[in-house]
């Protein structure tokens, strides 16, 4: 139990002293994951809605493919991104390996399938409800998809939070493509991995606790918004 | 006159800024490095000095020696800093670098539980110690990741005429992880392991492990640095990479390496052959 | 307005309409001509195929065979756009009352904001505009659906048991609005089980039983002296099963 006390104490003293290095690592984590989330939402939400609404040949295969990607270990995704971005890889000329951009790319690949698969489920339910009405009003396909995303926005918020949680807590992919470089690509999770490998277990756990508090805060916000929406029957 | 001087100064400022910003862009290098140098905090200590003296910003990717060499062969680094002489020479022989420089050394130590079931404490010979560990089938935790430490370990097993393989899996455990992770596991299993002294000294979770064997000349651990060849990798930042290597080999650099201490212990010994 | 838009969608000619599902014939060789005048009421026991027929008219269900022509034109997207359909279960978007209508208005740029306000008033919804539509009562939701249907100024209005389960006040508002619209020349086809409502509104009655059209007669004749045995049994409350 001493272990937790020591870690809690370290976590608090890190936060209270506003440790500059911790702040840098923390904000890079947030920046990378939020950017990845934004891109993943722009891709995954319409894709999920499209798959929910349209029936076409190959749809089953595409959904199966997305579900497979969803179960892919982050380190494998990291490896694939590494092989592409490496100087000897096909996209090596862009010089993106070991940059925050590479980490964003890996996280986008990691969470887009999650957002697409989960939003597909949610939009399918809404589609049951709206289908006849939209057919009757001759709503064009792209308007329908945007309307589904808009009207399901509070339910989709959970999906977005799940995506963010996955992005911000993931270490396998970002450590491979980012390289855990000090002041450049070091984020919360890679710092935790580093501290663990240095045997600084209390410090690692302290950082983990900070990460947990962040996750808690984000989820509380999401829950708050959702409860408000439920009260107004928008979900 | 005053006016002229002001004009001259402003031109100078603009010129300096231009040169500086242009220089900044290609004053960044990626160093593919072994984990021991990073985990011990050496880079944390010397990189600000490198920046001060040469203006070069060094980005360190710390992985096992095997992965570092592989990454450098993929042209994903400008400089390679590792500790596995044989593979470094192969790297040079295959033309990935023009030259290898000695920069420093430390040594490997065999750590194990204080209870010491194999009875190796205070042995002077590492190979004998390994032999005893195998004979008593005491738990040994190996890196198993093709790192410099792992290949050193393999050489020691060879010298001890023991070949740990699947049949010895009951006591010979391969972690496939970095030095720190392997030390965590050795601490958890109360097993023996081979580690470089730098990582060991700065390691925070020693539990009841202790240094049992040290001082054998076979445990000598030299670090080498190489500039990745432009012929193999045209994107290499030769200028800044060479500046970094030159700094390491210079008196300033060598003094700095020797001055780096953890818990008042010197971890790396400067060793450049000028 | 272009000539085509001004054109009416009546008479509606149905010729040999067949719909099957899971090897069951749901609509068998339906033939009829629905005229331009007033409100046509579709009646018949549950499962007779009334809703199905209505959905065929709106293109929601493709028939296996047969033709439907609106004033001589085949059913296509432009004709569907000139129809409005009100479903039995009121479907509203998860938005405010006003936004439900604004959504349709955005789809059809020709709709004016005045028209939205006028219909909200006509349907007695003007005090609820900012309410989430899903919180409305069943009657209010269906009035919203009615306002939405009329907003596009359709040439043909199709209603599928729209007023079932509604309170008398909501029924009255909707019926009044239907009568006004019909008097202004809007062709309306409704499905209802409410014989009283059918008497109040119908100009002519189509009676369906077990996927077949058993009679199509002017309202006054149908209610006083139905030609088919099935229709008279239905109105006496004796026709319950369908084939």
């Amino acid at each position: 139990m001493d272990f937790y006390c020591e870690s809690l104490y370290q976590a608090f003293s890190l936060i209270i002293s506003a440790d500059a290095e911790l702040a840098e690592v923390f904000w890079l984590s947030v920046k990378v994951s939020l950017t990845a989330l934004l891109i993943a939402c722009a891709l995954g939400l319409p894709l999920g809605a499209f798959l929910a609404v349209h029936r076409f040949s190959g749809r089953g295969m595409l959904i199966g493919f997305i579900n497979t990607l969803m179960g892919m270990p982050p380190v494998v995704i990291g490896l694939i991104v590494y092989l592409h971005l490496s100087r000897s890889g096909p996209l090596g000329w862009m010089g993106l390996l070991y940059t925050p951009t590479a980490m964003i790319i890996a996280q986008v690949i990691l969470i887009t399938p999650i957002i697409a698969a989960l939003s597909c489920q949610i939009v399918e339910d809404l589609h049951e409800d709206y289908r006849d009405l939209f057919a009757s009003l001759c709503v064009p396909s792209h308007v329908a998809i945007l309307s589904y995303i808009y009207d399901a926005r509070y339910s989709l918020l959970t999906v977005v939070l799940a995506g963010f949680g996955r992005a911000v807590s993931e270490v396998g992919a970002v450590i491979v493509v980012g390289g855990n470089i000090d002041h450049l690509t070091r984020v919360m999770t890679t710092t935790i991995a580093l501290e663990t490998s240095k045997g600084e277990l209390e410090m690692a756990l302290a950082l983990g606790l900070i990460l947990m508090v962040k996750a808690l805060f984000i989820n509380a916000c999401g829950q708050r918004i959702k409860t408000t929406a439920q009260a107004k029957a928008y979900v | 006159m005053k006016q002229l001087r002001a004009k001259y100064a402003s031109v100078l400022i603009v010129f300096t800024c231009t040169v500086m910003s242009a220089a900044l862009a290609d004053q960044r290098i990626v160093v593919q490095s072994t984990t021991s140098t990073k985990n011990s905090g050496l880079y944390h200590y010397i990189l600000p000095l490198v920046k001060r003296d040469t203006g070069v910003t060094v980005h360190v990717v710390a992985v096992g020696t095997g992965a570092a060499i592989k990454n450098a062969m993929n042209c994903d680094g400008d400089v390679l800093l590792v500790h596995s002489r044989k593979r470094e020479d192969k790297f040079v022989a295959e033309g990935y670098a023009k030259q290898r420089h000695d920069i420093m050394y430390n040594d490997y130590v065999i750590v194990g539980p204080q209870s010491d079931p194999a009875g190796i404490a205070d042995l002077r010979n590492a190979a004998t110690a390994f032999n005893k560990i195998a004979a008593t089938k005491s738990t040994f935790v190996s890196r198993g990741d093709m790192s410099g430490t792992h290949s050193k370990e393999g050489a020691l097993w060879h010298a001890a005429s023991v070949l740990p393989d699947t049949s010895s899996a009951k006591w010979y455990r391969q972690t496939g992880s970095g030095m720190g992770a392997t030390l965590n596991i050795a601490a958890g299993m109360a097993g023996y392991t081979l580690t470089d002294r730098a990582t060991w000294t700065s390691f925070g979770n020693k539990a009841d492990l202790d240094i049992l064997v040290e001082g054998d000349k076979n445990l000598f651990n030299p670090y080498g640095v190489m500039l990745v060849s432009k012929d193999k990798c045209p994107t290499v930042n030769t200028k800044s990479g060479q500046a970094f290597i030159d700094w390491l080999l210079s008196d300033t650099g060598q003094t700095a390496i020797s001055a780096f201490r953890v818990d008042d212990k010197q971890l790396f010994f400067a060793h450049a052959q000028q | 307005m272009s000539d085509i838009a001004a054109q009416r969608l009546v008479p509606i000619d149905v010729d040999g309409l067949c719909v099957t599902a899971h090897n069951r014939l749901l609509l068998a060789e339906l033939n009829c001509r629905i005229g331009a005048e007033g409100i046509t009421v579709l009646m018949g026991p549950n499962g007779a195929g009334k809703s199905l027929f209505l959905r065929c008219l709106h293109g929601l269900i493709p028939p296996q065979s047969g033709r439907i022509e609106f004033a001589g034109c085949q059913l296509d997207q432009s004709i569907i756009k000139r129809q409005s359909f009100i479903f039995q279960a009121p479907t509203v978007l998860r938005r405010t009352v006003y936004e439900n209508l604004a959504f349709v208005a955005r789809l059809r740029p020709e709709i004016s904001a005045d028209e939205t306000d006028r219909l909200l008033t006509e349907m007695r919804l003007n005090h609820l505009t900012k309410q989430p539509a899903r919180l409305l009562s069943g009657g209010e939701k269906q009035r919203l659906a009615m306002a939405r249907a009329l907003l596009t100024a359709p040439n043909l209005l199709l209603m599928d048991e729209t007023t079932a389960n509604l309170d008398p006040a909501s029924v009255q508002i909707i019926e009044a609005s239907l009568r006004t619209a019909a008097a202004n020349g809007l062709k309306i086809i409704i499905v209802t089980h409410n014989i009283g409502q059918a008497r109040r509104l119908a100009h002519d009655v189509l009676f369906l039983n077990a996927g077949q059209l058993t009679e199509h007669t002017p309202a006054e004749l149908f209610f006083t002296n139905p030609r088919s045995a099935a229709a008279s049994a239905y109105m006496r409350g004796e026709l319950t099963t369908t084939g």
Side-chain angles (χ1 to χ4, degrees):
Chain A
M1 279 290 108
D2 279 357
F3 195 79
Y4 282 109
C5 296
E6 173 65 16
S7 297
L8 262 176
Y9 170 76
Q10 283 209 19
F12 273 119
S13 52
L14 273 175
I15 294 171
I16 287 166
S17 67
D19 187 82
E21 258 181 78
L22 174 70
E24 191 186 349
V25 165
F26 184 88
W27 286 118
L28 184 65
S29 271
V30 173
K31 221 163 66 187
V32 165
S33 296
L34 271 186
T35 313
L37 184 70
L38 229 66
I39 298 169
C41 283
L43 298 170
L45 291 177
L47 177 64
F50 182 86
L51 287 172
V53 173
H54 291 279
R55 298 288 175 275
F56 52 91
S57 64
R59 174 177 179 269
M61 254 171 62
L62 191 56
I63 289 180
F65 178 67
I66 288 173
N67 285 335
T68 310
L69 277 182
M70 199 160 70
M72 194 104 109
V75 64
V76 175
I77 289 168
L79 195 62
I80 292 169
V81 174
Y82 169 83
L83 289 174
H84 281 83
L85 296 185
S86 165
R87 285 281 178 196
S88 56
L91 302 175
W93 54 272
M94 296 171 86
L96 288 179
L97 195 65
Y98 305 136
T99 63
T101 312
M103 298 159 83
I104 291 170
I105 292 170
Q107 291 195 349
V108 167
I109 296 174
L110 188 73
I111 61 177
T112 302
I114 297 175
I115 289 175
L118 295 181
S119 61
C120 177
Q121 203 108 47
I122 286 173
V123 171
E124 242 171 10
D125 292 344
L126 196 61
H127 181 56
E128 271 309 296
D129 198 5
Y130 284 9
R131 176 169 46 200
D132 284 342
L133 178 65
F134 279 11
S136 168
L137 291 171
C138 300
V139 179
S141 177
H142 67 280
V143 177
I145 283 175
L146 289 178
S147 304
Y148 282 129
I149 294 173
Y150 180 74
D151 282 8
R153 61 194 180 279
Y154 295 110
S155 305
L156 291 176
L157 198 67
T158 318
V159 176
V160 172
L161 289 178
F164 185 71
R166 169 95 158 151
V168 87
S169 65
E170 177 283 325
V171 62
V174 290
I175 209 163
V176 175
V177 302
N180 191 22
I181 295 170
D182 214 1
H183 306 303
L184 182 66
T185 57
R186 181 162 299 169
V187 291
M188 287 297 280
T189 53
T190 59
T191 310
I192 293 173
L194 179 68
E195 293 300 331
T196 307
S197 78
K198 280 158 75 176
E200 304 290 351
L201 304 187
E202 284 87 359
M203 183 64 175
L205 188 62
L207 294 170
L209 288 173
I210 294 172
L211 201 60
M212 252 171 67
V213 170
K214 179 162 78 175
L216 203 69
F217 173 75
I218 290 165
N219 276 305
C221 290
Q223 205 54 47
R224 181 70 203 255
I225 295 171
K226 216 176 158 183
T227 319
T228 319
Q230 250 152 7
K232 288 186 174 170
Y234 281 137
V235 265
Chain B
M1 188 64 196
K2 217 178 204 170
Q3 223 175 1
L4 195 70
R5 198 181 286 168
K7 212 171 176 182
Y8 178 67
S10 66
V11 167
L12 191 72
I13 287 168
V14 169
F15 178 69
T16 318
C17 288
T18 320
V19 169
M20 268 172 65
S21 58
L24 264 179
D26 51 42
Q27 284 206 311
R28 283 192 282 186
I29 57 168
V30 170
V31 174
Q32 289 287 348
S33 159
T34 167
T35 44
S36 51
T37 39
K38 184 167 193 170
N39 283 4
S40 63
L42 175 67
Y43 287 123
H44 209 75
Y45 177 73
I46 63 164
L47 291 188
L49 305 177
V50 173
K51 175 87 183 156
R52 182 199 64 195
D53 293 346
T54 66
V56 174
T57 304
V58 179
H59 295 313
V60 178
V61 177
V63 285
T65 292
I69 291 177
K70 188 89 196 141
N71 287 346
M73 283 176 156
N74 283 338
C75 304
D76 293 323
D78 303 291
V79 171
L80 179 66
L81 197 164
V82 288
H83 58 150
S84 178
R85 189 59 198 257
K86 244 188 222 161
R87 279 184 279 168
E88 289 164 37
D89 289 342
K90 187 161 166 267
F91 190 79
V92 175
E94 285 174 4
Y96 284 100
K98 293 235 155 41
Q99 206 185 346
R100 174 195 177 279
H101 308 272
D102 277 318
I103 45 162
M104 61 190 184
Y105 68 91
N106 66 357
D107 61 343
Y108 290 107
V109 293
I110 301 174
V111 299
Q114 279 153 15
S115 58
D116 192 15
I120 61 166
D122 301 327
L123 282 178
R124 282 279 145 211
N125 188 310
T128 317
F130 268 39
N131 215 317
K132 277 188 135 175
I133 291 170
T136 55
K137 291 196 176 1
S138 306
T139 306
F140 185 91
V141 184
S142 163
R143 287 279 292 272
D145 65 347
M146 300 299 287
S147 59
T149 308
H150 185 218
S151 56
K152 168 56 88 181
E153 182 206 313
L156 287 174
W157 285 120
H158 189 75
S161 308
V162 179
L163 290 177
D165 52 23
T166 43
S167 61
S168 44
K170 280 221 168 87
W171 59 272
Y172 184 74
R173 307 285 192 192
Q174 290 202 333
T175 64
S177 313
M179 195 67 253
T182 304
L183 279 172
N184 277 330
I185 291 166
M189 297 172 82
Y192 295 93
T193 192
L194 181 74
T195 172
D196 62 283
R197 190 186 292 274
T199 304
W200 171 254
T201 305
S202 55
F203 186 66
N205 180 34
K206 292 189 176 83
D208 95 306
L209 297 182
D210 223 336
I211 293 180
L212 297 176
V213 177
E214 60 186 324
D216 184 346
K217 71 174 189 331
N218 274 327
L219 292 175
F220 181 62
N221 179 25
Y223 288 79
V225 66
M226 285 143 279
L227 179 68
V228 179
S229 161
K230 213 165 178 96
D231 301 340
K232 288 276 186 187
C233 302
T235 50
V236 164
N237 185 348
T238 309
K239 196 162 147 270
S240 298
Q242 191 61 52
F244 173 60
I245 292 174
D246 288 345
W247 186 90
L248 286 175
L249 301 178
S250 71
D251 287 342
T252 325
Q254 293 282 298
T255 314
I257 289 169
S258 293
F260 170 61
R261 269 158 218 277
V262 172
D263 293 341
D264 217 27
K265 285 185 198 124
Q266 182 174 352
L267 296 190
F268 295 97
F269 298 84
H271 180 45
Q273 288 159 352
Q274 292 279 339
Chain C
M1 283 240 174
S2 71
D3 287 344
I4 296 197
Q7 245 177 41
R8 306 179 69 192
L9 295 178
V10 278
I12 303 165
D13 289 301
V14 180
D15 187 11
L17 189 70
C18 285
V19 175
T20 56
H22 307 296
N23 287 326
R24 265 184 64 201
L25 199 57
L26 301 177
L27 282 182
E29 286 277 331
L30 220 67
N31 295 298
C32 66
R33 165 177 268 227
I34 298 172
E37 300 83 25
I39 300 173
T40 299
V41 173
L42 272 172
M43 297 189 85
N46 287 325
K50 309 178 298 291
S51 296
L52 202 63
F53 178 48
L54 210 62
R55 281 167 175 263
C56 283
L57 291 177
H58 197 43
L60 290 173
I61 291 172
Q64 262 71 47
S65 62
R67 279 183 315 125
I68 304 173
E69 280 182 359
F70 296 84
C73 297
Q74 294 276 335
L75 184 64
D76 63 10
Q77 196 81 355
S78 74
I79 288 179
I80 294 172
K81 277 192 178 173
R82 288 159 60 203
Q83 306 175 346
S84 281
F85 197 107
I86 306 179
F87 299 93
Q88 184 172 4
T91 311
V92 293
L93 302 178
R94 286 155 169 74
R95 303 180 189 185
T96 63
V97 168
Y98 185 82
E99 276 300 315
N100 263 270
L101 296 184
F103 176 77
V104 179
R106 276 194 296 274
L107 289 173
R108 310 279 170 88
E110 69 272 13
I111 298 170
S112 72
D114 290 351
E115 187 61 7
T116 309
D117 293 339
R118 190 187 71 73
L119 283 166
L120 282 171
T121 311
E122 186 178 323
M123 289 297 140
R124 315 269 172 86
L125 291 170
N126 41 351
H127 60 296
L128 297 169
T129 49
K130 290 202 173 77
Q131 284 282 312
R134 294 241 296 170
L135 286 187
L136 299 180
S137 72
E140 288 162 344
K141 274 186 204 166
Q142 212 52 299
R143 271 145 56 197
L144 176 58
M146 180 83 185
R148 184 175 58 204
L150 293 176
L151 189 59
T152 57
N155 297 116
L156 173 64
L157 177 62
L158 306 167
M159 300 171 74
D160 189 0
E161 291 187 53
T162 302
T163 54
N165 304 324
L166 297 195
D167 57 62
S170 289
V171 173
Q172 224 169 48
I173 293 170
I174 290 176
E175 283 188 9
S177 168
L178 286 178
R179 268 194 289 269
T180 315
N184 288 336
L186 172 62
K187 178 65 197 177
I188 300 168
I189 303 176
I190 68 174
V191 171
T192 183
H193 283 295
N194 183 336
I195 295 170
Q197 181 176 54
R199 276 182 201 272
R200 289 193 294 278
L201 297 176
H203 169 270
D204 55 330
V205 177
L206 283 161
F207 190 83
L208 282 163
N209 188 26
Q212 288 182 320
L213 183 64
T214 54
E215 74 174 282
H216 182 192
T217 36
E220 56 271 26
L221 259 175
F222 182 83
F223 293 112
T224 52
N225 186 19
R227 271 183 299 172
S228 65
S232 55
Y234 171 79
M235 281 197 289
R236 287 197 307 275
E238 287 165 6
L239 185 69
T240 50
T241 53
T242 62

